[in-house]
PDB file of all heavy atoms in Angstrom:
ATOM      1  N   ALA I  20      72.105  50.308 -59.895  1.00 92.00           N
ATOM      2  CA  ALA I  20      72.202  49.311 -60.988  1.00 92.00           C
ATOM      3  C   ALA I  20      73.316  48.339 -60.628  1.00 92.00           C
ATOM      4  O   ALA I  20      74.053  48.508 -59.597  1.00 92.00           O
ATOM      5  CB  ALA I  20      72.560  49.905 -62.384  1.00 92.00           C
ATOM      6  N   ALA I  21      73.353  47.223 -61.372  1.00 90.00           N
ATOM      7  CA  ALA I  21      74.386  46.148 -61.082  1.00 90.00           C
ATOM      8  C   ALA I  21      75.842  46.690 -61.291  1.00 90.00           C
ATOM      9  O   ALA I  21      76.720  46.446 -60.617  1.00 90.00           O
ATOM     10  CB  ALA I  21      74.083  44.890 -61.833  1.00 90.00           C
ATOM     11  N   ASN I  22      75.902  47.395 -62.437  1.00 86.00           N
ATOM     12  CA  ASN I  22      77.294  47.906 -62.799  1.00 86.00           C
ATOM     13  C   ASN I  22      77.165  49.331 -63.269  1.00 86.00           C
ATOM     14  O   ASN I  22      76.021  49.896 -63.458  1.00 86.00           O
ATOM     15  CB  ASN I  22      77.727  46.893 -63.984  1.00 86.00           C
ATOM     16  CG  ASN I  22      77.897  45.410 -63.650  1.00 86.00           C
ATOM     17  OD1 ASN I  22      78.735  45.128 -62.799  1.00 86.00           O
ATOM     18  ND2 ASN I  22      76.989  44.652 -64.157  1.00 86.00           N
ATOM     19  N   ALA I  23      78.361  49.761 -63.594  1.00 85.00           N
ATOM     20  CA  ALA I  23      78.485  51.138 -63.996  1.00 85.00           C
ATOM     21  C   ALA I  23      78.022  51.274 -65.483  1.00 85.00           C
ATOM     22  O   ALA I  23      77.758  50.308 -66.146  1.00 85.00           O
ATOM     23  CB  ALA I  23      79.961  51.761 -63.933  1.00 85.00           C
ATOM     24  N   LYS I  24      77.698  52.476 -65.956  1.00 84.00           N
ATOM     25  CA  LYS I  24      77.217  52.805 -67.269  1.00 84.00           C
ATOM     26  C   LYS I  24      76.033  52.225 -67.843  1.00 84.00           C
ATOM     27  O   LYS I  24      75.851  51.725 -68.919  1.00 84.00           O
ATOM     28  CB  LYS I  24      78.445  52.519 -68.320  1.00 84.00           C
ATOM     29  CG  LYS I  24      79.782  53.320 -67.895  1.00 84.00           C
ATOM     30  CD  LYS I  24      80.796  53.003 -68.980  1.00 84.00           C
ATOM     31  CE  LYS I  24      82.038  53.788 -68.705  1.00 84.00           C
ATOM     32  NZ  LYS I  24      83.111  53.537 -69.640  1.00 84.00           N
ATOM     33  N   GLU I  25      75.058  52.001 -66.778  1.00 85.00           N
ATOM     34  CA  GLU I  25      73.804  51.465 -67.150  1.00 85.00           C
ATOM     35  C   GLU I  25      72.728  52.562 -67.235  1.00 85.00           C
ATOM     36  O   GLU I  25      71.503  52.326 -67.598  1.00 85.00           O
ATOM     37  CB  GLU I  25      73.341  50.343 -66.144  1.00 85.00           C
ATOM     38  CG  GLU I  25      74.184  49.089 -66.244  1.00 85.00           C
ATOM     39  CD  GLU I  25      73.556  47.758 -65.646  1.00 85.00           C
ATOM     40  OE1 GLU I  25      72.333  47.744 -65.929  1.00 85.00           O
ATOM     41  OE2 GLU I  25      74.263  47.186 -64.856  1.00 85.00           O
ATOM     42  N   GLY I  26      73.008  53.846 -66.848  1.00 85.00           N
ATOM     43  CA  GLY I  26      72.153  54.937 -67.017  1.00 85.00           C
ATOM     44  C   GLY I  26      71.656  55.502 -65.863  1.00 85.00           C
ATOM     45  O   GLY I  26      70.680  56.386 -65.919  1.00 85.00           O
ATOM     46  N   CYS I  27      72.254  55.280 -64.593  1.00 87.00           N
ATOM     47  CA  CYS I  27      71.693  55.904 -63.394  1.00 87.00           C
ATOM     48  C   CYS I  27      71.772  57.493 -63.398  1.00 87.00           C
ATOM     49  O   CYS I  27      70.844  58.078 -63.068  1.00 87.00           O
ATOM     50  CB  CYS I  27      72.549  55.285 -62.190  1.00 87.00           C
ATOM     51  SG  CYS I  27      71.985  53.682 -61.707  1.00 87.00           S
ATOM     52  N   ALA I  28      73.008  57.975 -63.840  1.00 87.00           N
ATOM     53  CA  ALA I  28      73.083  59.427 -63.785  1.00 87.00           C
ATOM     54  C   ALA I  28      71.975  60.113 -64.650  1.00 87.00           C
ATOM     55  O   ALA I  28      71.483  61.136 -64.326  1.00 87.00           O
ATOM     56  CB  ALA I  28      74.550  59.759 -64.285  1.00 87.00           C
ATOM     57  N   THR I  29      71.786  59.448 -65.873  1.00 88.00           N
ATOM     58  CA  THR I  29      70.826  60.052 -66.740  1.00 88.00           C
ATOM     59  C   THR I  29      69.472  60.011 -66.134  1.00 88.00           C
ATOM     60  O   THR I  29      68.612  60.999 -66.190  1.00 88.00           O
ATOM     61  CB  THR I  29      70.726  59.284 -68.084  1.00 88.00           C
ATOM     62  OG1 THR I  29      72.061  59.515 -68.707  1.00 88.00           O
ATOM     63  CG2 THR I  29      69.732  59.905 -68.993  1.00 88.00           C
ATOM     64  N   TRP I  30      69.077  58.864 -65.476  1.00 89.00           N
ATOM     65  CA  TRP I  30      67.786  58.775 -64.930  1.00 89.00           C
ATOM     66  C   TRP I  30      67.585  59.704 -63.696  1.00 89.00           C
ATOM     67  O   TRP I  30      66.454  60.320 -63.501  1.00 89.00           O
ATOM     68  CB  TRP I  30      67.482  57.315 -64.507  1.00 89.00           C
ATOM     69  CG  TRP I  30      66.853  56.523 -65.562  1.00 89.00           C
ATOM     70  CD1 TRP I  30      67.463  55.879 -66.629  1.00 89.00           C
ATOM     71  CD2 TRP I  30      65.449  56.425 -65.756  1.00 89.00           C
ATOM     72  NE1 TRP I  30      66.489  55.364 -67.440  1.00 89.00           N
ATOM     73  CE2 TRP I  30      65.223  55.520 -66.897  1.00 89.00           C
ATOM     74  CE3 TRP I  30      64.328  56.699 -65.004  1.00 89.00           C
ATOM     75  CZ2 TRP I  30      63.963  55.281 -67.406  1.00 89.00           C
ATOM     76  CZ3 TRP I  30      63.048  56.357 -65.493  1.00 89.00           C
ATOM     77  CH2 TRP I  30      62.958  55.716 -66.649  1.00 89.00           C
ATOM     78  N   ILE I  31      68.671  59.995 -62.956  1.00 91.00           N
ATOM     79  CA  ILE I  31      68.597  61.012 -61.860  1.00 91.00           C
ATOM     80  C   ILE I  31      68.270  62.332 -62.460  1.00 91.00           C
ATOM     81  O   ILE I  31      67.486  63.139 -61.938  1.00 91.00           O
ATOM     82  CB  ILE I  31      69.910  61.074 -61.087  1.00 91.00           C
ATOM     83  CG1 ILE I  31      70.059  59.756 -60.360  1.00 91.00           C
ATOM     84  CG2 ILE I  31      69.951  62.213 -60.203  1.00 91.00           C
ATOM     85  CD1 ILE I  31      69.068  59.529 -59.154  1.00 91.00           C
ATOM     86  N   GLN I  32      68.953  62.640 -63.542  1.00 90.00           N
ATOM     87  CA  GLN I  32      68.647  64.024 -64.207  1.00 90.00           C
ATOM     88  C   GLN I  32      67.189  64.138 -64.614  1.00 90.00           C
ATOM     89  O   GLN I  32      66.541  65.109 -64.510  1.00 90.00           O
ATOM     90  CB  GLN I  32      69.611  64.184 -65.403  1.00 90.00           C
ATOM     91  CG  GLN I  32      69.294  65.521 -66.180  1.00 90.00           C
ATOM     92  CD  GLN I  32      70.123  65.545 -67.454  1.00 90.00           C
ATOM     93  OE1 GLN I  32      71.219  64.966 -67.485  1.00 90.00           O
ATOM     94  NE2 GLN I  32      69.659  66.322 -68.346  1.00 90.00           N
ATOM     95  N   LEU I  33      66.633  63.042 -65.214  1.00 90.00           N
ATOM     96  CA  LEU I  33      65.306  63.060 -65.810  1.00 90.00           C
ATOM     97  C   LEU I  33      64.351  63.194 -64.720  1.00 90.00           C
ATOM     98  O   LEU I  33      63.319  63.845 -64.698  1.00 90.00           O
ATOM     99  CB  LEU I  33      65.097  61.807 -66.639  1.00 90.00           C
ATOM    100  CG  LEU I  33      65.842  61.715 -67.990  1.00 90.00           C
ATOM    101  CD1 LEU I  33      65.634  60.343 -68.610  1.00 90.00           C
ATOM    102  CD2 LEU I  33      65.467  62.770 -68.943  1.00 90.00           C
ATOM    103  N   LEU I  34      64.410  62.340 -63.664  1.00 91.00           N
ATOM    104  CA  LEU I  34      63.585  62.440 -62.451  1.00 91.00           C
ATOM    105  C   LEU I  34      63.636  63.796 -61.711  1.00 91.00           C
ATOM    106  O   LEU I  34      62.576  64.231 -61.285  1.00 91.00           O
ATOM    107  CB  LEU I  34      63.901  61.280 -61.506  1.00 91.00           C
ATOM    108  CG  LEU I  34      63.687  59.801 -61.959  1.00 91.00           C
ATOM    109  CD1 LEU I  34      64.195  58.817 -60.969  1.00 91.00           C
ATOM    110  CD2 LEU I  34      62.109  59.624 -62.187  1.00 91.00           C
ATOM    111  N   ALA I  35      64.862  64.322 -61.673  1.00 92.00           N
ATOM    112  CA  ALA I  35      65.059  65.629 -61.096  1.00 92.00           C
ATOM    113  C   ALA I  35      64.157  66.801 -61.894  1.00 92.00           C
ATOM    114  O   ALA I  35      63.466  67.561 -61.386  1.00 92.00           O
ATOM    115  CB  ALA I  35      66.423  66.056 -61.034  1.00 92.00           C
ATOM    116  N   GLN I  36      64.331  66.693 -63.156  1.00 91.00           N
ATOM    117  CA  GLN I  36      63.618  67.641 -64.035  1.00 91.00           C
ATOM    118  C   GLN I  36      61.999  67.350 -63.844  1.00 91.00           C
ATOM    119  O   GLN I  36      61.232  68.357 -63.799  1.00 91.00           O
ATOM    120  CB  GLN I  36      63.861  67.450 -65.540  1.00 91.00           C
ATOM    121  CG  GLN I  36      65.364  67.944 -65.787  1.00 91.00           C
ATOM    122  CD  GLN I  36      65.732  67.672 -67.133  1.00 91.00           C
ATOM    123  OE1 GLN I  36      65.087  67.121 -67.894  1.00 91.00           O
ATOM    124  NE2 GLN I  36      66.985  68.059 -67.493  1.00 91.00           N
ATOM    125  N   ALA I  37      61.581  66.119 -63.754  1.00 91.00           N
ATOM    126  CA  ALA I  37      60.142  65.826 -63.695  1.00 91.00           C
ATOM    127  C   ALA I  37      59.645  66.352 -62.386  1.00 91.00           C
ATOM    128  O   ALA I  37      58.626  66.901 -62.320  1.00 91.00           O
ATOM    129  CB  ALA I  37      59.884  64.412 -63.851  1.00 91.00           C
ATOM    130  N   ALA I  38      60.401  66.081 -61.225  1.00 90.00           N
ATOM    131  CA  ALA I  38      59.937  66.489 -59.868  1.00 90.00           C
ATOM    132  C   ALA I  38      59.891  67.975 -59.903  1.00 90.00           C
ATOM    133  O   ALA I  38      58.880  68.639 -59.321  1.00 90.00           O
ATOM    134  CB  ALA I  38      60.848  65.959 -58.901  1.00 90.00           C
ATOM    135  N   ASN I  39      60.821  68.678 -60.474  1.00 90.00           N
ATOM    136  CA  ASN I  39      60.735  70.105 -60.401  1.00 90.00           C
ATOM    137  C   ASN I  39      59.643  70.746 -61.169  1.00 90.00           C
ATOM    138  O   ASN I  39      59.014  71.707 -60.836  1.00 90.00           O
ATOM    139  CB  ASN I  39      62.135  70.691 -60.789  1.00 90.00           C
ATOM    140  CG  ASN I  39      62.298  72.229 -60.716  1.00 90.00           C
ATOM    141  OD1 ASN I  39      62.454  72.902 -61.766  1.00 90.00           O
ATOM    142  ND2 ASN I  39      62.188  72.573 -59.464  1.00 90.00           N
ATOM    143  N   GLN I  40      59.302  70.108 -62.340  1.00 90.00           N
ATOM    144  CA  GLN I  40      58.217  70.509 -63.149  1.00 90.00           C
ATOM    145  C   GLN I  40      56.882  70.403 -62.445  1.00 90.00           C
ATOM    146  O   GLN I  40      55.931  71.053 -62.712  1.00 90.00           O
ATOM    147  CB  GLN I  40      58.249  69.776 -64.580  1.00 90.00           C
ATOM    148  CG  GLN I  40      59.353  70.227 -65.428  1.00 90.00           C
ATOM    149  CD  GLN I  40      59.493  69.221 -66.664  1.00 90.00           C
ATOM    150  OE1 GLN I  40      58.787  68.326 -66.736  1.00 90.00           O
ATOM    151  NE2 GLN I  40      60.306  69.720 -67.594  1.00 90.00           N
ATOM    152  N   CYS I  41      56.849  69.414 -61.445  1.00 86.00           N
ATOM    153  CA  CYS I  41      55.812  69.125 -60.767  1.00 86.00           C
ATOM    154  C   CYS I  41      55.566  69.970 -59.439  1.00 86.00           C
ATOM    155  O   CYS I  41      54.667  69.911 -58.735  1.00 86.00           O
ATOM    156  CB  CYS I  41      55.654  67.669 -60.259  1.00 86.00           C
ATOM    157  SG  CYS I  41      55.255  66.516 -61.580  1.00 86.00           S
ATOM    158  N   GLY I  42      56.531  70.944 -59.342  1.00 87.00           N
ATOM    159  CA  GLY I  42      56.509  71.911 -58.233  1.00 87.00           C
ATOM    160  C   GLY I  42      57.374  71.609 -57.004  1.00 87.00           C
ATOM    161  O   GLY I  42      57.366  72.269 -56.026  1.00 87.00           O
ATOM    162  N   SER I  43      58.159  70.580 -57.072  1.00 88.00           N
ATOM    163  CA  SER I  43      58.896  70.184 -55.910  1.00 88.00           C
ATOM    164  C   SER I  43      60.401  70.738 -56.186  1.00 88.00           C
ATOM    165  O   SER I  43      60.940  70.982 -57.207  1.00 88.00           O
ATOM    166  CB  SER I  43      59.056  68.765 -55.776  1.00 88.00           C
ATOM    167  OG  SER I  43      57.829  68.220 -55.508  1.00 88.00           O
ATOM    168  N   ARG I  44      61.080  71.098 -54.955  1.00 91.00           N
ATOM    169  CA  ARG I  44      62.506  71.308 -55.077  1.00 91.00           C
ATOM    170  C   ARG I  44      63.196  70.096 -55.056  1.00 91.00           C
ATOM    171  O   ARG I  44      62.723  69.082 -54.475  1.00 91.00           O
ATOM    172  CB  ARG I  44      62.905  72.251 -53.869  1.00 91.00           C
ATOM    173  CG  ARG I  44      62.436  73.659 -53.950  1.00 91.00           C
ATOM    174  CD  ARG I  44      62.606  74.425 -52.718  1.00 91.00           C
ATOM    175  NE  ARG I  44      61.743  74.017 -51.617  1.00 91.00           N
ATOM    176  CZ  ARG I  44      61.672  74.412 -50.493  1.00 91.00           C
ATOM    177  NH1 ARG I  44      62.458  75.508 -50.070  1.00 91.00           N
ATOM    178  NH2 ARG I  44      60.831  74.060 -49.570  1.00 91.00           N
ATOM    179  N   VAL I  45      64.413  69.941 -55.668  1.00 93.00           N
ATOM    180  CA  VAL I  45      65.108  68.699 -55.881  1.00 93.00           C
ATOM    181  C   VAL I  45      66.535  68.844 -55.417  1.00 93.00           C
ATOM    182  O   VAL I  45      67.222  69.895 -55.803  1.00 93.00           O
ATOM    183  CB  VAL I  45      64.994  68.279 -57.349  1.00 93.00           C
ATOM    184  CG1 VAL I  45      65.680  66.895 -57.507  1.00 93.00           C
ATOM    185  CG2 VAL I  45      63.620  68.224 -57.810  1.00 93.00           C
ATOM    186  N   LEU I  46      66.990  67.914 -54.645  1.00 94.00           N
ATOM    187  CA  LEU I  46      68.381  67.705 -54.364  1.00 94.00           C
ATOM    188  C   LEU I  46      68.885  66.399 -54.996  1.00 94.00           C
ATOM    189  O   LEU I  46      68.385  65.304 -54.633  1.00 94.00           O
ATOM    190  CB  LEU I  46      68.659  67.665 -52.809  1.00 94.00           C
ATOM    191  CG  LEU I  46      70.131  67.469 -52.454  1.00 94.00           C
ATOM    192  CD1 LEU I  46      70.964  68.477 -52.858  1.00 94.00           C
ATOM    193  CD2 LEU I  46      70.178  67.320 -50.857  1.00 94.00           C
ATOM    194  N   ALA I  47      69.638  66.632 -56.025  1.00 93.00           N
ATOM    195  CA  ALA I  47      70.027  65.534 -56.882  1.00 93.00           C
ATOM    196  C   ALA I  47      71.488  65.070 -56.494  1.00 93.00           C
ATOM    197  O   ALA I  47      72.340  65.925 -56.687  1.00 93.00           O
ATOM    198  CB  ALA I  47      69.832  65.718 -58.337  1.00 93.00           C
ATOM    199  N   ILE I  48      71.745  63.869 -56.067  1.00 91.00           N
ATOM    200  CA  ILE I  48      73.094  63.541 -55.471  1.00 91.00           C
ATOM    201  C   ILE I  48      73.544  62.382 -56.424  1.00 91.00           C
ATOM    202  O   ILE I  48      72.960  61.434 -56.571  1.00 91.00           O
ATOM    203  CB  ILE I  48      73.117  63.090 -54.038  1.00 91.00           C
ATOM    204  CG1 ILE I  48      72.366  64.203 -53.189  1.00 91.00           C
ATOM    205  CG2 ILE I  48      74.431  62.756 -53.574  1.00 91.00           C
ATOM    206  CD1 ILE I  48      72.135  63.796 -51.840  1.00 91.00           C
ATOM    207  N   THR I  49      74.818  62.637 -56.908  1.00 86.00           N
ATOM    208  CA  THR I  49      75.463  61.541 -57.697  1.00 86.00           C
ATOM    209  C   THR I  49      76.642  61.130 -56.970  1.00 86.00           C
ATOM    210  O   THR I  49      77.587  61.918 -56.656  1.00 86.00           O
ATOM    211  CB  THR I  49      75.857  62.025 -59.114  1.00 86.00           C
ATOM    212  OG1 THR I  49      74.703  62.496 -59.729  1.00 86.00           O
ATOM    213  CG2 THR I  49      76.425  60.958 -60.000  1.00 86.00           C
ATOM    214  N   VAL I  50      76.733  59.875 -56.655  1.00 77.00           N
ATOM    215  CA  VAL I  50      77.930  59.245 -55.961  1.00 77.00           C
ATOM    216  C   VAL I  50      78.802  58.638 -57.062  1.00 77.00           C
ATOM    217  O   VAL I  50      78.433  57.651 -57.682  1.00 77.00           O
ATOM    218  CB  VAL I  50      77.620  58.238 -54.920  1.00 77.00           C
ATOM    219  CG1 VAL I  50      78.771  57.715 -54.213  1.00 77.00           C
ATOM    220  CG2 VAL I  50      76.623  58.901 -53.884  1.00 77.00           C
TER     221      VAL I  50
END
Side-chain angles (χ1 to χ4, degrees):
N22 299 293
K24 299 183 179 180
E25 294 198 46
C27 281
T29 299
W30 270 85
I31 290 295
Q32 177 188 337
L33 294 173
L34 290 172
Q36 292 176 358
N39 186 240
Q40 289 170 354
C41 290
S43 296
R44 286 170 291 183
V45 181
L46 177 59
I48 304 172
T49 302
V50 181

